[in-house]
Amino acid sequence: MSNAAVIPLVSATSSVDVPHVTVRTTCPYCGVGCGVEAVCVTALGDARRGAPEHAPENKQQNAQAAMPEIRGDALHPANAGRLCVKGAALGETLGLEERLLAPAMRTRNDVMETPRTVSWDTALDAVADGFRAVIAEHGPDAVAFYVSGQLLTEDYYVANKLMKGFIGSANIDTNSRLCMSSAVAGHKRAFGEDVVPVCYDDLEAADLIVLVGSNAAWCHPVLFQRIARLKEQRPAVRVVVVDPRHTATCELADLHVALKPGSDVWLFNGLLSYLADRGLTDRAFVGAHTHGVAEALVAAAADGGDIESVARTCKLAVQTVRRFYEMFAATGRVVTVFSQGVNQSSSGTDKVNSIINCHLLTGRIGKPGAGPFSITGQPNAMGGREVGGLANMLAAHLELDNAAHRALVQDFWGAPCMAVQPGLKAVPLFEAIEAGRVKAIWIMGTNPVVSMPEADRVRAALARCELVVVSDVMARTDTADLAHVLLPALAWGEKDGTVTNSERRISRQRPFLPPPGAARADWDLLCDVARRMGYRGFDYPGPHAIFDEHARLSTVGNGTGGVAPRQFNLAGLTGLSRAAYDALASIQWPVPCPATGTGPTGTARLYADGRFSHADGRARFVPVRGCWPAHGIDNDYPLVLNTGRVRDHWHTMTRTGKVPRLAGHTSEAAVDMHPHDALLCGVREGELARVRSRWGAMVARVRHGGGMPRGSVFVPIHWNAQFASDARVGAVVNAAVDAVSGEPEFKHTPVQVEPFPVSWHAFVLTRTQELATPATYWTRIQGRQFVRYELAGREAIADAGAWARALLDVKAAGAEWLEYEDATAGVYRAACVVAGRLEACVFLSPRPDLPARTWLSVLMENDALATPERASLLAGEPLEAGTDTGQIVCACFGVGRETICRAIRQHGLSTAAEVTACIKAGGNCGSCVPEIGALLLACHAVQAA
Ligand code: SF4
């Protein structure tokens, strides 16, 4: 059981002469929700306060001065002190470079105009007046908010209240629609409420962990490491990975069920039939606590109730299916963890229910080490669900389409104009903007021009929208570039509020840096606009007051007044003073009223009493049938595009793209494909390829090695116009959605892959941020004190020397150029040295087989070139063989692939622990341990051969 025992949120220490404060906060990336400690020198915050809005050099200086030390919070139950590489690098994301620090506006219908700085009054009046004018002329459904799982619960609460209770529309949706709304819909159908019944401790109590559509090793690394440690401590624990790809997560798997993309329902319907046929139904549980088992079993049997037919449909070996079913059947304590691979499907909700059905049939829910477990992608996807941040939900787990619930909320808010019907979910929302039905939108903390399916249509829709308001921390994003009003928001480290992680744990995000420039909290901006629109009820003295209102609303009509009780209940957290809110330790909801004289106590596991949230207290089996993705492959588009995250980047890279050590692992957008498919498509590893669907196209570098099965390709979601010329995979993804949840089918778009012909390839390392001349293809990669560009072009280069000088545009006096050219071969290399330091270099070739970048990158980090370095500069590699580290694997210690392989070979290493002991790799955050395992296997296979 969790509780809210007070843990010091801030502790002050002092070394000999430098006082420090340690602030406990929460990681802003994935849904694991790790606790973080920020150790700050007390005086440093002041250097950042009121950072000048128009002085980039000062921004940089302040950014450097304000860098706190970041470490895992040993007292936080989610991570017990561990952080993955992204969390560990958070301190390097806090600089103010490229931040939006003042409100700005550009003329409507002129998105090419550079935004001009305006006062807060001007900007917020423009938002309030603009929204009011559209509502007056076209009604409340002509405006919308599109918000984000990056927002804090307090921000989310106010946005939802303003739109649903005062503007009178439910047109507020969130980017969480794109990652977990199928889980929400599945929970509501099965349990009667959007409830995750399990907790992280259940993983440690389980004997079998089934990971479905989840590359937890990369996307939820600390959770994955908890499972890895569990397997070390209890080797009998089994792990099954159900995923078409052989991901890094499979390094831990006893069984990899590499099913055909989209066939999950057949697999789990087959499991349901298998369990029932072998008498493994928990009859007492099913009889007393559920409805609908007979219908679910009929549906499952109709999908092919025997192992052979399941194996045929899912394109699996019969023994693989049998082994999975036998393991599930033989193990009482099973947790089935699922994520985007299940949710992001046109039948995502049915997939979720097919998993839950198996747990209901066996009564494996509400008990230690048992239950279905949806893990969320974003830090506050769960918090958004609590406050009704989705267009079809009301606040506090109340129902928008229930008149009694609407009346409760209207009365509580004193709302003049409640929404009476669900609003537009994300995909139809942007379609409505395209059609001109929605004429004003406020986008908060998200980047739909990159992340939405059919992203080119989304961009075109926003470009013609009458009023686009964007509140963000970054001055330039693909979406901010289309905004008429830009509002500077607070970033992580400055924000103050709460988030809820995948196990319902509410944790504080506490500020440890003062607001920079004119930036303000999202809730504050929303309240200001609400007041300017003439609404009352938006005068909060701080986030604690919003949280209190949110907590009190959770108790309204909760099991009283004829309204069924809801699990979401924060009764024990109502009435917190500012000080108590500041001191709040993490706690899992529901939090009932504490007994007199005791503090609030959370709840780790739900439905232990078998009473579910439906009005009759019974869970529902949902009969589901297998259904293939909306768009199948054909001769023109013969490959299945799968999209997702890479290990070291996050969403659209606004934070992780700044951090050199996070850029080393995956530097460019890549299309990962099986070598045989590449051969058939006429593309080769390292070359550029165009990935094209019926909806759009993008360009990426071909790679192998990501465990792709034949017929599928994988492209990461992160790259966008700020980092690459044409790498938005959202432009390629089809906009088919799940009929129940509205979640798009990001995991299945038919595509073709074709060569992207260019006449030259190049890379550049330069201390200048921007290159002076464009290229057909470019990717920008942040290094330490330099920027790396990968380039390619179609136009032949007649004079390479002149081209290089124009490209690099080095203006420093006394610049010395070292050059090598083989004009016949089309090879050119140049380095520019200024005062003994490498200022820039460029390597050009007709082929992509250019030298490795790692050694040259190290030279760019140095203040001066040594004589041997200068001598081998244009070779691109050191004179002594074997010192190139290769592509970074361990970002914490900067250890590359070549270094690890050399150590394995030279020292005969056979385990990841031995690698760590030898060269440190894998010894800090552990995110790279699965890849070290794969390298061990690969090296040993080569040696054996
Ligand atoms: S696993 Fe990594 S990204 Fe996720 S919350 Fe923890 S530190 Fe942050």
Side-chain angles (χ1 to χ4, degrees), residues 1-2 77 198-206 223 226 230 333 335 368-369 373 503 505 588 604-605:
M1 297 283 276
S2 59
V198 292
C199 60
Y200 295 156
D201 287 349
D202 283 320
L203 294 170
E204 272 115 15
L223 210 56
R226 283 179 73 155
L230 172 66
R333 292 182 172 223
V335 175
F373 196 171
E503 61 164 358
R505 180 174 296 281
Q588 286 169 284
R605 189 174 303 107

Side-chain angles (χ1 to χ4, degrees), residues 459-780:
R459 182 166 57 189
L462 287 176
R464 73 170 72 112
C465 186
E466 283 183 24
L467 175 58
V468 178
V469 180
V470 171
S471 41
D472 207 305
V473 301
M474 305 302 288
R476 295 282 312 274
T477 71
D478 293 29
T479 301
D481 283 354
L482 298 171
H484 305 119
V485 185
L486 278 160
L487 307 176
L490 297 181
W492 184 79
E494 301 151 8
K495 291 183 181 202
D496 188 3
T498 55
V499 291
T500 309
N501 74 359
S502 298
E503 61 164 358
R504 292 172 278 103
R505 180 174 296 281
I506 297 169
S507 298
R508 289 280 278 111
Q509 261 197 28
R510 296 187 176 94
F512 52 89
L513 294 168
R520 291 166 60 178
D522 290 280
W523 66 264
D524 185 28
L525 303 180
L526 284 153
C527 288
D528 202 330
V529 168
R531 290 192 298 268
R532 285 166 200 259
M533 293 177 77
Y535 301 133
R536 303 176 65 166
F538 293 88
D539 292 305
Y540 301 103
H544 67 290
I546 304 170
F547 184 84
D548 179 54
E549 188 175 305
H550 164 57
R552 284 188 289 112
L553 181 54
S554 76
T555 70
V556 170
N558 200 339
T560 60
V563 178
R566 308 184 298 281
Q567 291 289 349
F568 180 69
N569 188 337
L570 304 182
L573 297 178
T574 57
L576 296 182
S577 65
R578 173 80 222 200
Y581 174 77
D582 283 344
L584 184 67
S586 79
I587 188 166
Q588 286 169 284
W589 64 258
V591 187
C593 266
T596 309
T598 64
T601 304
T603 314
R605 189 174 303 107
L606 295 181
Y607 301 137
D609 59 358
R611 178 160 188 87
F612 291 87
S613 304
H614 282 295
D616 61 5
R618 287 170 176 259
R620 302 289 190 270
F621 283 89
V622 180
V624 291
R625 295 290 307 275
C627 182
W628 292 113
H631 300 284
I633 56 172
D634 56 28
N635 288 339
D636 292 334
Y637 299 96
L639 299 167
V640 172
L641 169 67
N642 182 359
T643 66
R645 294 174 174 149
V646 299
R647 194 191 74 185
D648 292 356
H649 277 306
W650 176 258
H651 284 196
T652 56
M653 298 166 64
T654 48
R655 277 188 296 246
T656 55
K658 289 179 174 182
V659 183
R661 70 165 151 146
L662 297 181
H665 182 257
T666 310
S667 302
E668 272 184 291
V671 50
D672 204 327
M673 58 196 306
H674 193 281
H676 291 175
D677 287 330
L679 200 62
L680 290 174
C681 294
V683 297
R684 289 198 299 193
E685 185 164 36
E687 292 180 345
L688 296 172
R690 190 186 294 282
V691 182
R692 187 192 298 279
S693 73
R694 289 192 169 82
W695 298 272
M698 50 92 66
V699 177
R701 201 170 291 281
V702 177
R703 69 175 289 247
H704 309 317
M708 297 309 299
R710 289 293 308 272
S712 289
V713 304
F714 178 85
V715 177
I717 59 174
H718 311 289
W719 276 266
N720 55 74
Q722 314 307 312
F723 291 91
S725 50
D726 188 13
R728 285 157 54 247
V729 74
V732 184
V733 173
N734 77 93
V737 298
D738 181 283
V740 182
S741 70
E743 181 153 351
E745 190 146 66
F746 282 101
K747 300 297 187 194
H748 199 290
T749 299
V751 295
Q752 56 174 251
V753 177
E754 62 194 21
F756 183 76
V758 291
S759 56
W760 55 266
H761 297 260
F763 72 82
V764 166
L765 309 180
T766 173
R767 299 189 191 281
T768 310
Q769 285 291 321
E770 302 291 335
L771 292 179
T773 54
T776 311
Y777 169 89
W778 60 268
T779 296
R780 179 167 64 93

Side-chain angles (χ1 to χ4, degrees), residues 647 887-896 900 920-924 928 932:
R647 194 191 74 185
Q887 184 195 4
I888 293 298
V889 173
C890 173
C892 294
F893 293 116
V895 186
I900 294 170
K920 287 185 161 181
N924 187 33
C928 61
I932 294 173

Side-chain angles (χ1 to χ4, degrees), residues 27-34 82-84 86-88 219-223:
C27 177
Y29 292 124
C30 82
V32 178
C34 295
R82 285 187 166 254
L83 294 176
C84 75
K86 291 190 291 290
C219 301
H220 298 89
V222 166
L223 210 56

Side-chain angles (χ1 to χ4, degrees), residues 3-324:
N3 60 60
V6 174
I7 297 168
L9 66 111
V10 174
S11 59
T13 55
S14 168
S15 63
V16 177
D17 52 3
V18 184
H20 291 78
V21 289
T22 299
V23 178
R24 289 200 157 85
T25 182
T26 312
C27 177
Y29 292 124
C30 82
V32 178
C34 295
V36 170
E37 288 185 343
V39 185
C40 315
V41 177
T42 45
L44 285 185
D46 294 336
R48 224 165 170 268
R49 190 187 301 278
E53 292 151 16
H54 306 290
E57 65 285 0
N58 288 348
K59 287 181 203 170
Q60 187 69 32
Q61 187 183 331
N62 289 333
Q64 299 306 323
M67 204 72 86
E69 179 195 340
I70 297 295
R71 63 190 184 206
D73 181 352
L75 297 177
H76 197 286
N79 57 318
R82 285 187 166 254
L83 294 176
C84 75
V85 64
K86 291 190 291 290
L90 272 166
E92 293 151 64
T93 68
L94 299 172
L96 296 181
E97 61 278 10
E98 300 174 33
R99 280 287 299 272
L100 177 65
L101 294 173
M105 292 178 65
R106 55 165 67 89
T107 310
R108 300 231 198 147
N109 303 322
D110 187 5
V111 293
M112 300 307 291
E113 185 190 16
T114 302
R116 61 194 182 284
T117 299
V118 297
S119 69
W120 271 117
D121 275 342
T122 302
L124 295 179
D125 278 345
V127 178
D129 294 347
F131 269 66
R132 200 165 34 211
V134 171
I135 294 165
E137 188 173 352
H138 303 284
D141 288 334
V143 301
F145 293 164
Y146 186 62
V147 298
S148 165
Q150 303 285 306
L151 295 183
L152 305 185
T153 299
E154 292 74 5
D155 304 320
Y156 248 131
Y157 179 88
V158 173
N160 188 57
K161 175 180 176 180
L162 173 57
M163 181 54 77
K164 292 197 179 125
F166 291 74
I167 290 175
S169 169
N171 279 351
I172 171 171
D173 213 41
T174 160
N175 64 2
S176 299
R177 174 75 61 195
L178 311 183
C179 64
M180 56 76 220
S181 54
S182 294
V184 172
H187 291 155
K188 289 180 78 171
R189 292 202 305 193
F191 307 140
E193 187 177 352
D194 174 24
V195 166
V196 171
V198 292
C199 60
Y200 295 156
D201 287 349
D202 283 320
L203 294 170
E204 272 115 15
D207 296 319
L208 172 64
I209 297 170
V210 183
L211 292 143
V212 191
S214 166
N215 184 9
W218 284 15
C219 301
H220 298 89
V222 166
L223 210 56
F224 178 79
Q225 288 159 25
R226 283 179 73 155
I227 298 171
R229 273 200 309 287
L230 172 66
K231 272 196 64 94
E232 278 172 23
Q233 290 159 3
R234 284 202 290 131
V237 171
R238 292 286 170 260
V239 173
V240 175
V241 173
V242 180
D243 196 318
R245 281 198 297 158
H246 188 98
T247 63
T249 302
C250 294
E251 297 305 318
L252 208 58
D254 298 283
L255 179 67
H256 176 205
V257 182
L259 76 179
K260 178 180 176 180
S263 64
D264 312 54
V265 170
W266 280 276
L267 183 72
F268 283 94
N269 266 350
L271 176 60
L272 194 74
S273 296
Y274 180 93
L275 296 168
D277 291 348
R278 280 152 187 79
L280 289 167
T281 301
D282 183 337
R283 293 185 187 282
F285 176 85
V286 169
H289 302 298
T290 70
H291 276 314
V293 66
E295 293 84 347
L297 288 173
V298 168
D303 262 353
D306 63 273
I307 288 177
E308 287 73 18
S309 72
V310 169
R312 267 195 310 278
T313 306
C314 299
K315 295 271 190 289
L316 291 164
V318 169
Q319 56 269 34
T320 301
V321 179
R322 179 174 291 118
R323 188 156 169 237
F324 171 44

